[in-house]
Amino acid sequence: MTSALSALGLPIPEGGLPARSTCPFCRDGRLNIYDDSTVGGSWFHCASCEFRGDAIELTSKAWGLTVEASLYKLDESTCSILPEYLGAAHIANYTNNYIDRRERMGKFWELARSK
């Protein structure tokens, strides 16, 4: 959490999670930060602009970069990324199993609610 917020120049909340910081997209102070107990790391959600995602998605969107480019930028800036996480296979797996799956599930639930 602190590495992603630091890399984006956002205020780092003191104490444990859950916490709150400034959203890099709407600049509202309602970026909620939670502990992602299922896969580890942090989960971000802005109640104003409805951004949601992990630290990689947060930095990727804020920098306007792909997941791969964002990982390399994070590795060069505030946090060290393990070399195996920078490989194409791992990045494709992450994108498919986390980002794409969440988008597919969101569309599924939208469709289910509309019927």
Side-chain angles (χ1 to χ4, degrees):
M1 168 202 49
T2 57
S3 296
L5 295 177
S6 176
L8 294 172
L10 297 173
I12 299 171
E14 293 183 19
L17 298 178
R20 185 175 280 178
S21 187
T22 302
C23 178
F25 312 115
C26 65
R27 292 294 171 187
D28 187 335
R30 297 177 62 192
L31 181 68
N32 297 299
I33 309 161
Y34 305 97
D35 181 35
D36 185 348
S37 58
T38 57
V39 295
S42 298
W43 180 258
F44 300 86
H45 176 261
C46 179
S48 295
C49 70
E50 297 188 11
F51 167 81
R52 60 191 165 278
D54 63 14
I56 298 167
E57 291 170 282
L58 180 74
T59 55
S60 294
K61 183 175 178 183
W63 289 328
L65 298 173
T66 64
V67 167
E68 181 177 17
S70 184
L71 281 169
Y72 279 101
K73 187 169 181 174
L74 278 168
D75 186 50
E76 292 169 357
S77 62
T78 59
C79 74
S80 296
I81 307 293
L82 294 172
E84 58 266 25
Y85 292 158
L86 297 174
H90 188 282
I91 292 169
N93 184 50
Y94 165 80
T95 301
N96 183 56
N97 289 326
Y98 294 98
I99 299 172
D100 294 349
R101 176 181 290 159
R102 203 168 35 256
E103 288 174 6
R104 288 189 306 268
M105 292 305 296
K107 288 177 185 174
F108 168 81
W109 286 114
E110 270 183 47
L111 182 62
R113 281 192 298 267
S114 70
K115 295 201 178 230

